Amino acid sequence: MSDTAVLSRKADFPGLVTADGEPWHYLDTAASAQKPQAVVDAMSRALGVDYATVHRGVYGRSAQMTLGYESARRRVAQFIGAKSENEVVFVRGATEAINLVAASWGMVNIGEGDRIVLSTLEHHSNIVPWQMVAERTGAQIDVCPLTEDGQIDLGALEAILTPRTKLVSLAHVSNVLGSVLDARAAADLAHSVGAKLMLDGCQAAPRMTLDMAAIDCDFYAFSGHKIYGPTGIGVLWAREEILDGMPPWQGGGAMIDRVTFEKTTYAPPPQRFEAGTPMITEAIALHAAIEYIDDMGVDQAYDHERQLARTLREALSAHNSIRLFGPEESAGIVSFAMEGVHPHDLGTILDEEHVAIRAGHHCAQPLMDHLGVPATARASFGLYSDESDIAALLRGIERTQRIFG
């Protein structure tokens, strides 16, 4: 993809300017992506002239909104290569998706003495729910180590797995290191001992073409706001036969078949897991976001972001005071630390230069312990990023070095 093609897209994102009209160099896409105007417009229409509730109303606008809401589910299924839209559950975000699987599938299928495998680089959202399951069931958590360059070590994973392993839950792409998991290889290993594989796809969904059949995992989760859509909505994908066997997680309206005081019967998936009034406007805006990134070309954007990461890593490696983390080839995410400068101080100075990065432990404290640092600075690219953002970051780093020199 040429720089010109990406530059032409910057104008689509109203958030990429400061209050005084200056360029804002947003390098925090891994935390949350900026929204194109098409998504803003779709949500505005859904909240305004098109608004009505879904699934219950017999009046025309409600019927139209229901069609729009379920059309979004079908679009998500197409986007991730699902066999059926019945495999797509709308949730508030990837955190809720993982908690849903842990509380529903996990509490039924994981018992005392069973094993749950995570990796060193996981986000807290893919650690804490499984710790809760382990505490309640008597299961044990095994931690898969990383290779020297920050990849999940699949050789070590193979050695850890046992017939007592019931679940392997891993990040498809690390939110700190940008390292990419060989998801199909992980699935094959998990299935070789009869375990299920769950993937945290938050960083993968906006960056690469997904195909659930090709990956062959059992659960997949991602958040709408990281793929240029709104907050408050995410996706849990699971095999239809697995969802069919999972009990409800929350009770209320919409997830029932019939309710009496003696007994309640439940709706089939995915409605079984969508209690209450759903994320109507968010789903419609998510649909618009998927249309936008598909038009841009997910694979093209991914190649572009990886090239920007290479360019930044090369520039940062010229500074003796900067330590880089993760593999040379990352999915548009670069984490680093400056000698003698706390990442929060760097982030504050960069903010004065209209550059936004993430500074902290990135909800990955076990990984920080592994790296031997309390926090890192992280620059992460999106499909709207270009070399002007890197140049602004480097200017800010040079200013920081002069201040702390």
Side-chain angles (χ1 to χ4, degrees), residues 302-320:
Y302 182 41
D303 290 342
H304 175 73
E305 292 169 38
R306 285 190 296 179
Q307 181 56 53
L308 289 173
R310 290 187 207 108
T311 300
L312 178 57
R313 288 185 69 92
E314 183 178 352
L316 293 178
S317 66
H319 295 262
N320 292 331

Side-chain angles (χ1 to χ4, degrees), residues 187-201:
D188 290 344
L189 288 172
H191 294 160
S192 72
V193 295
K196 299 289 190 289
L197 174 67
M198 177 157 202
L199 293 176
D200 169 2

Side-chain angles (χ1 to χ4, degrees), residues 3 27 58 85 99 143 158 169 171 246 254 276 279 281 318 348:
D3 225 22
L27 294 171
V58 296
E85 64 265 30
N99 275 275
V143 180
E158 184 174 16
S169 194
M246 287 169 54
M279 315 83 166
T281 58
T348 299

Side-chain angles (χ1 to χ4, degrees), residues 98-348:
I98 296 169
N99 275 275
L100 191 165
V101 175
S104 178
W105 183 89
M107 292 302 294
V108 171
N109 292 280
I110 297 173
E112 186 173 0
D114 288 337
R115 319 293 294 193
I116 301 166
V117 179
L118 311 175
S119 85
T120 302
L121 58 68
E122 299 309 315
H123 189 281
H124 295 165
S125 294
N126 199 30
I127 298 174
V128 179
W130 302 115
Q131 288 177 329
M132 291 177 173
V133 171
E135 288 167 1
R136 293 169 185 169
T137 64
Q140 300 295 315
I141 291 176
D142 296 314
V143 180
C144 180
L146 309 180
T147 61
E148 288 188 9
D149 65 348
Q151 308 274 1
I152 294 174
D153 189 335
L154 292 181
L157 174 62
E158 184 174 16
I160 288 171
L161 295 172
T162 78
R164 293 305 301 268
T165 304
K166 298 300 182 184
L167 182 82
V168 179
S169 194
L170 304 172
H172 196 172
V173 172
S174 167
N175 72 306
V176 177
L177 305 176
S179 47
V180 181
L181 174 72
D182 185 338
R184 180 54 189 257
D188 290 344
L189 288 172
H191 294 160
S192 72
V193 295
K196 299 289 190 289
L197 174 67
M198 177 157 202
L199 293 176
D200 169 2
C202 280
Q203 303 300 332
R207 293 183 168 86
M208 57 185 65
T209 298
L210 298 177
D211 184 337
M212 296 299 103
I215 293 173
D216 199 31
C217 60
D218 301 286
F219 305 99
Y220 201 93
F222 64 91
S223 294
H225 69 99
K226 294 183 190 290
I227 63 167
Y228 310 96
T231 56
I233 190 166
V235 170
L236 169 66
W237 171 88
R239 296 180 186 277
E240 196 166 2
E241 61 272 20
I242 297 176
L243 286 176
D244 282 340
M246 287 169 54
W249 179 41
Q250 297 175 321
M255 50 74 68
I256 56 86
D257 174 32
R258 176 167 170 73
V259 176
T260 68
F261 282 110
E262 290 71 35
K263 181 177 177 58
T264 293
T265 56
Y266 302 112
Q271 287 75 24
R272 184 187 302 164
F273 305 104
E274 296 179 6
T277 302
M279 315 83 166
I280 304 167
T281 58
E282 291 86 350
I284 289 169
L286 177 60
H287 189 162
I290 290 173
E291 292 290 336
Y292 183 88
I293 60 177
D294 258 2
D295 177 63
M296 181 74 178
V298 178
D299 289 336
Q300 288 178 295
Y302 182 41
D303 290 342
H304 175 73
E305 292 169 38
R306 285 190 296 179
Q307 181 56 53
L308 289 173
R310 290 187 207 108
T311 300
L312 178 57
R313 288 185 69 92
E314 183 178 352
L316 293 178
S317 66
H319 295 262
N320 292 331
S321 62
I322 292 179
R323 178 185 172 193
L324 286 162
F325 303 100
E328 291 293 327
E329 188 66 25
S330 82
I333 297 171
V334 178
S335 282
F336 60 96
M338 291 181 64
E339 185 178 348
V341 181
H342 193 281
H344 289 167
D345 294 327
L346 173 61
T348 299

